[in-house]
Amino acid sequence: MFKTIATFFLLYLVTLTLYGQEWGRSGFNSQWKFYLGDEPEAKAAGFNDKGWRNIDLPHDWSIEGTFSKEHPATNQGGALPGGIAWYRKTFQLADTIEGKQVYIDFDGIYRNSEVWINGHYLGKRPSGYTSFRYDLTPYMNIGKQSNVIAVRVDNSQQPNSRWYSGSGIYRNVWLITKNKIAIDHWGLFITSPSIQKEQATIRQQTVFKNLGSKREAAEVTIRVFDKESKLVVKKAFEQSLIPGDSEASYEIQVPQPILWSPENPYCYRVETQVYIGKRLVDQHSSPFGIRSFSFDEKEGFSLNGQRKRILGVCMHHDLGALGAAINRKAMERQLVLLKEMGANAIRISHNPPAPEFLDLCDSIGFLVMDEAFDMWRKKKNKFDYSLDFDEWHRQDLTDLIKRDRNHPSIIMWSIGNEIREQFDSTGTALTKELVAIVRSEDNTRPVVAALTETHLEKNFIAQANALDILGFNYKYEQYDSLPINFPGQKFIASETTSALATRGHYDLGHDTLRFWPPSAKEKFVKNGNADFTVSAYDQVAAYWGTSHEQAWRAVKQRDFMTGLFVWTGFDYLGEPVPYDFPARSSYYGIIDLAGFPKDVYYMYQSEWTDQPVLHLLPHWNWHSGQTIDVWAYYNQADEVELFLNGRSLGTRKKQGDDIHVSWKVPFQRGELKAVSRKNGKEVLSKEIKTASKPARIQLTVDKNKLRAGINDLAFVSATIVDADGNTAPMADDEIVFDIRGRGFIAGVDNGFQADLSPLKGNRKRAYNGKCLAIIQAKTATGEIILKASAKGLEGAELKLEVNDE
């Protein structure tokens, strides 16, 4: 329990892949066969799958479908199809495998997966987010005779999710070859019981597996390397390995440790080798980071002895036009955008993430709340995980903790989001059980739950007195009552805001916050916009939420709130509050589904970073006679002066707890310019010009060199501009992308929540002047040429290189 001290000294692996460099591990994603539909005989090794589609993993078949209100997932699930499908892979194992153990690892399959090897049933996992392993050894063929893996995926019972889930083997698959003596699966757990300036003591708890029939005398060597791969320390230990499982704990000292933090995510690397005599039988190499943290009921969160506010966002798992199929580059792009905004934390909502996402949080520098469940026994959807909770929650939670506990980014485990058992006495016993499961696998991190009931006598999860931190979603106006209602507790705003916006759209004439829908009595807003847009001024929220400014202000002003997680960092497929179909993706994001920041992005950047910011909104294409609300987000300055066509419209300064300044400006064509100043000296200036008729397409790309064979991506933004290069803020021309060479178009998007055109293909209408093409490199090196064209506009061309480095 961490009720009194709540200080955690940790040293954790920062893995480049989930299992680090696990010996005998190889990718198993290529050359699969896929069939959409149910084919019960496909489990047999001799089944004829020649007519099936050839694919590589990861794969999400739902994102390939068409949007429709007829799909049983509804628009809450993204208005895309589910169903049943099969995957098969034929492969051979060399004679050198003889005498070894062979396993297959699935990082995630959505959902109800069943797996066979050569017709032998290996098992079923209902959860779509859990990683799991099967032993192939008893059933495998070695040499010339082939092996066949068959996987049935059943996502036909809908609805089973409150957001878009995707369907299929949407995460990575690995083939593992081991000796009979090896480090067990997820068998390393590394902590640091002591961190001093002079040295840190590393403690490595290790589980070995000896599948032989006799005791073996082993030598375990642990070596630590710094970021430049220079040896820091080495130590050897004698270890007796009995048949079955053996557990051991080792300690080693790292001199003058460099501490991990979001600002400096410094990684060492630990290499563990197991020898029997002079023969190396297993090896595990993983990066790791050293840091300490604590939570205090009055002062909040501290990292490495320094107070730090947790500035976080919530994130679902889809990657926009890529669907749920994981891609390291796409996740990296998301995290880099959030890092540049000033975020330092991610709440993974509301399920175990892809392993690579945590790897990136480790290496880029994010603090993470790792969350296990969106429901327990009480359902939120007819066919959700509540049906499987009793049978699978212990296994799934245990696997999550063991899989993820060696990530320095993770600072807390969440056992649930807005769990309905908090309102009855069953919640108390379940909370105690789940917390006990977490602590049996990791007693170094606090356990939290995201709650909604702010009165102890009504909150049966809090009454369990088992949680180390209480998370509360929304209800910012009740923050001051929390220390009174829950004395001695530590708090975090586990979910805030739920403000709504469509990028680049602005409703004029509204000076107060509007709630869409206004209450729980209405599922959808009745008097919204006919075109399914929501104003990008920070003035619209779901009835349970509030504006971005108010939600941040409420946490900013209270030291006892350790931080917040804004709902959400990015728009995501599904849950398109406040509208019914044709809306099919969310309006909550600070960044839209295509990865284009909305205006409020710069509000956070002005509040959460020290870099100078000046952002002016809206665009400047209006009609004569309209009065426009002009806003400016800024920092590192005392004031902002606004000019229209060179004429000053006055200077504004933030007053009290203001987060932006504003003017009401009668529209005139020309140039709107803002200048921020500090002590009378200019800090930044920003101009927005009235755009004339759309004239041409402008292409920009995040990088022009891609690596072959790793599913590398380039994100190409297409912007429609006038003859002078000004963005045409309402252009909606259809852009056609033509690609030649060593790449293909993996997806297209424009960020508009009610666009029903496919996310797969080579064309997309611009929305408010912009759209996106995602280019994926093939396995061969060479050149990619991308052309963009639109009727009546001058086209554009882009060249990319695909190489081996």
Side-chain angles (χ1 to χ4, degrees):
M1 296 283 288
F2 307 102
K3 293 294 179 182
T4 54
I5 302 177
T7 300
F8 317 94
F9 291 99
L10 309 174
L11 179 152
Y12 286 106
L13 299 175
V14 185
T15 51
L16 295 178
T17 59
L18 171 63
Y19 312 103
Q21 300 299 314
E22 185 176 13
W23 223 31
R25 180 175 184 249
S26 57
F28 207 57
N29 286 338
S30 63
Q31 299 181 337
W32 285 75
K33 294 277 193 175
F34 172 74
Y35 175 74
L36 182 56
D38 200 6
E39 184 56 74
E41 299 306 315
K43 63 188 177 184
F47 178 82
N48 185 353
D49 59 15
K50 288 185 178 179
W52 288 19
R53 176 181 162 195
N54 296 314
I55 65 163
D56 292 334
L57 305 177
H59 175 243
D60 171 11
W61 81 70
S62 292
I63 201 66
E64 300 170 351
T66 57
F67 294 107
S68 172
K69 64 180 179 181
E70 303 303 324
H71 294 312
T74 76
N75 68 336
Q76 299 300 301
L80 285 166
I84 298 173
W86 284 79
Y87 297 83
R88 284 169 56 91
K89 180 177 172 68
T90 301
F91 64 103
Q92 291 181 314
L93 295 171
D95 292 333
T96 54
I97 294 294
E98 188 70 49
K100 296 184 182 293
Q101 300 296 120
V102 180
Y103 307 92
I104 188 169
D105 285 1
F106 293 95
D107 285 347
I109 303 174
Y110 202 92
R111 62 187 304 263
N112 290 317
S113 66
E114 296 179 275
V115 183
W116 292 261
I117 172 71
N118 297 328
H120 297 276
Y121 187 65
L122 296 177
K124 178 178 181 177
R125 292 302 288 258
S127 172
Y129 301 106
T130 299
S131 299
F132 53 93
R133 168 176 287 189
Y134 290 123
D135 185 358
L136 307 183
T137 311
Y139 316 109
M140 64 186 184
N141 300 316
I142 297 175
K144 295 182 179 180
Q145 188 174 355
S146 295
N147 298 272
V148 178
I149 289 280
V151 182
R152 182 180 187 268
V153 185
D154 184 353
N155 192 22
S156 61
Q157 288 188 310
Q158 299 277 358
N160 59 52
S161 177
R162 297 188 299 116
W163 56 88
Y164 176 78
S165 63
S167 302
I169 308 178
Y170 71 104
R171 293 180 181 169
N172 287 316
V173 183
W174 310 92
L175 193 69
I176 314 294
T177 303
K178 289 283 192 180
N179 289 308
K180 292 192 178 297
I181 294 177
I183 298 169
D184 199 10
H185 185 39
W186 300 327
L188 293 180
F189 182 32
I190 304 178
T191 61
S192 185
S194 174
I195 300 174
Q196 305 296 329
K197 184 177 181 179
E198 297 76 18
Q199 70 175 27
T201 299
I202 301 171
R203 177 176 297 154
Q204 177 174 300
Q205 296 170 255
T206 310
V207 178
F208 301 94
K209 186 171 287 294
N210 178 1
L211 297 178
S213 59
K214 63 177 182 177
R215 182 189 298 266
E216 297 282 0
E219 181 180 273
V220 178
T221 300
I222 299 176
R223 297 188 295 174
V224 176
F225 299 87
D226 67 13
K227 192 174 183 179
E228 287 73 39
S229 296
K230 296 179 181 179
L231 182 65
V232 175
V233 63
K234 174 183 177 180
K235 194 171 183 179
F237 304 86
E238 299 299 320
Q239 184 66 48
S240 178
L241 302 178
I242 61 173
D245 292 346
S246 299
E247 297 185 16
S249 181
Y250 311 111
E251 289 191 357
I252 191 169
Q253 281 70 43
V254 173
Q256 287 81 48
I258 299 174
L259 303 185
W260 184 97
S261 69
E263 295 75 23
N264 182 33
Y266 188 92
C267 299
Y268 293 88
R269 178 169 57 88
V270 62
E271 184 178 85
T272 304
Q273 297 176 316
V274 183
Y275 289 89
I276 302 296
K278 294 184 178 181
R279 184 169 70 98
L280 179 64
V281 296
D282 200 13
Q283 178 173 293
H284 196 291
S285 180
S286 294
F288 70 91
I290 303 172
R291 85 284 191 272
S292 64
F293 67 86
S294 65
F295 288 87
D296 182 85
E297 63 189 69
K298 294 181 179 179
E299 298 298 321
F301 176 73
S302 295
L303 180 68
N304 299 325
Q306 296 187 355
R307 189 174 183 274
K308 178 180 291 294
R309 182 79 76 174
I310 295 172
L311 307 174
V313 299
C314 300
M315 289 287 285
H316 275 316
H317 70 294
D318 81 67
L319 297 169
L322 302 178
I326 71 107
N327 180 283
R328 186 182 182 91
K329 172 59 183 175
M331 293 186 292
E332 179 184 30
R333 176 181 181 243
Q334 289 184 331
L335 290 173
V336 168
L337 280 167
L338 292 169
K339 186 85 169 183
E340 291 173 349
M341 185 186 78
N344 64 18
I346 303 290
R347 177 188 176 212
I348 296 168
S349 313
H350 307 286
N351 46 259
E356 292 81 2
F357 189 83
L358 293 174
D359 302 337
L360 288 164
C361 288
D362 294 338
S363 60
I364 295 173
F366 280 93
L367 307 167
V368 172
M369 178 193 292
D370 201 350
E371 193 156 71
F373 305 116
D374 188 44
M375 73 289 297
W376 296 347
R377 290 186 181 126
K378 293 192 172 184
K379 67 183 179 183
K380 294 181 179 178
N381 280 289
K382 184 176 180 180
F383 298 108
D384 63 21
Y385 184 78
S386 63
L387 300 175
D388 307 300
F389 181 83
D390 279 337
E391 181 178 356
W392 285 99
H393 71 274
R394 176 172 291 276
Q395 181 75 60
D396 289 343
L397 182 56
T398 298
D399 287 350
L400 168 67
I401 306 303
K402 292 176 72 173
R403 189 197 73 168
D404 293 350
R405 61 189 176 182
N406 290 328
H407 286 280
S409 56
I410 298 174
I411 59 167
M412 62 184 90
W413 303 110
S414 171
I415 58 172
N417 170 64
E418 297 180 357
I419 298 299
R420 293 182 173 178
E421 282 85 349
Q422 72 182 298
F423 303 111
D424 69 66
S425 59
T426 62
T428 302
L430 279 173
T431 300
K432 292 179 179 180
E433 179 192 355
L434 294 173
V435 171
I437 293 170
V438 173
R439 291 197 177 125
S440 70
E441 302 298 339
D442 177 15
N443 63 0
T444 65
R445 289 181 178 89
V447 184
V448 64
L451 308 169
T452 56
E453 177 50 63
T454 56
H455 294 85
L456 179 60
E457 64 274 15
K458 299 178 182 179
N459 192 322
F460 290 88
I461 288 178
Q463 287 179 32
N465 199 33
L467 297 172
D468 304 299
I469 301 170
L470 299 183
F472 283 98
N473 293 1
Y474 307 104
K475 299 184 178 180
Y476 72 91
E477 66 279 2
Q478 298 182 33
Y479 284 170
D480 287 336
S481 70
L482 295 178
I484 300 170
N485 294 346
F486 304 89
Q489 292 286 1
K490 305 164 190 68
F491 304 102
I492 189 163
S494 44
E495 189 171 315
T496 72
T497 313
S498 278
L500 310 170
T502 299
R503 174 189 53 81
H505 175 83
Y506 306 93
D507 293 343
L508 302 180
H510 297 279
D511 293 323
T512 58
L513 182 64
R514 293 176 288 167
F515 293 102
W516 288 7
S519 73
K521 295 179 181 179
E522 298 181 23
K523 187 174 183 180
F524 306 109
V525 63
K526 293 180 179 179
N527 298 309
N529 294 337
D531 59 357
F532 297 94
T533 57
V534 177
S535 177
Y537 291 116
D538 184 21
Q539 293 176 332
V540 184
Y543 68 84
W544 58 85
T546 188
S547 68
H548 287 277
E549 293 190 11
Q550 181 56 58
W552 163 233
R553 192 182 292 117
V555 173
K556 180 181 179 181
Q557 295 171 347
R558 292 164 174 83
D559 289 343
F560 68 85
M561 297 299 291
T562 58
L564 81 167
F565 293 96
V566 180
W567 190 264
T568 52
F570 276 71
D571 281 344
Y572 53 92
L573 289 163
E575 206 171 12
V577 174
Y579 294 117
D580 198 355
F581 190 84
R584 44 69 172 171
S585 58
S586 80
Y587 294 75
Y588 297 117
I590 299 168
I591 302 168
D592 77 13
L593 196 68
F596 300 132
K598 303 177 188 179
D599 293 291
V600 77
Y601 178 95
Y602 302 96
M603 183 218 90
Y604 287 105
Q605 195 173 65
S606 71
E607 288 284 307
W608 289 3
T609 76
D610 292 328
Q611 69 183 73
V613 173
L614 175 61
H615 179 73
L616 192 62
L617 67 140
H619 60 76
W620 203 239
N621 273 61
W622 300 94
H623 299 291
S624 179
Q626 289 182 298
T627 297
I628 315 303
D629 292 306
V630 176
W631 289 24
Y633 296 120
Y634 73 96
N635 66 1
Q636 309 295 313
D638 304 317
E639 61 186 24
V640 177
E641 186 173 8
L642 187 69
F643 298 85
L644 177 58
N645 297 326
R647 178 173 59 89
S648 177
L649 300 181
T651 298
R652 299 285 189 271
K653 298 181 179 181
K654 296 178 188 177
Q655 304 294 326
D657 57 5
D658 287 348
I659 294 179
H660 76 272
V661 293
S662 64
W663 299 255
K664 290 188 178 295
V665 182
F667 175 71
Q668 295 178 10
R669 291 182 62 87
E671 180 187 80
L672 197 66
K673 180 179 180 180
V675 178
S676 62
R677 300 187 184 93
K678 187 174 182 65
N679 298 324
K681 295 182 178 180
E682 181 175 319
V683 177
L684 290 173
S685 66
K686 174 78 174 186
E687 300 88 24
I688 301 176
K689 296 180 180 180
T690 305
S692 53
K693 180 182 177 181
R696 59 187 173 89
I697 300 169
Q698 187 178 81
L699 296 180
T700 56
V701 64
D702 63 337
K703 64 179 182 180
N704 54 24
K705 293 183 179 180
L706 291 84
R707 285 188 60 189
I710 62 166
N711 298 332
D712 200 6
L713 300 177
F715 291 84
V716 180
S717 299
T719 304
I720 297 176
V721 299
D722 67 8
D724 296 321
N726 301 307
T727 298
M730 289 172 282
D732 63 353
D733 303 77
E734 182 179 65
I735 298 179
V736 178
F737 297 98
D738 177 68
I739 191 167
R740 292 185 286 116
R742 303 300 190 184
F744 63 92
I745 298 172
V748 289
D749 198 1
N750 60 22
F752 180 42
Q753 296 96 337
D755 184 334
L756 299 182
S757 62
L759 296 173
K760 301 294 184 181
N762 73 328
R763 60 187 63 219
K764 178 66 73 171
R765 282 194 176 276
Y767 184 74
N768 289 338
K770 289 181 176 290
C771 69
L772 177 78
I774 306 171
I775 308 304
Q776 183 166 325
K778 296 180 180 178
T779 56
T781 60
E783 187 178 62
I784 298 172
I785 299 176
L786 179 71
K787 294 182 179 180
S789 61
K791 186 177 180 180
L793 300 180
E794 180 184 335
E797 181 177 302
L798 195 67
K799 291 184 179 180
L800 306 173
E801 295 179 23
V802 180
N803 51 45
D804 290 326
E805 299 179 355

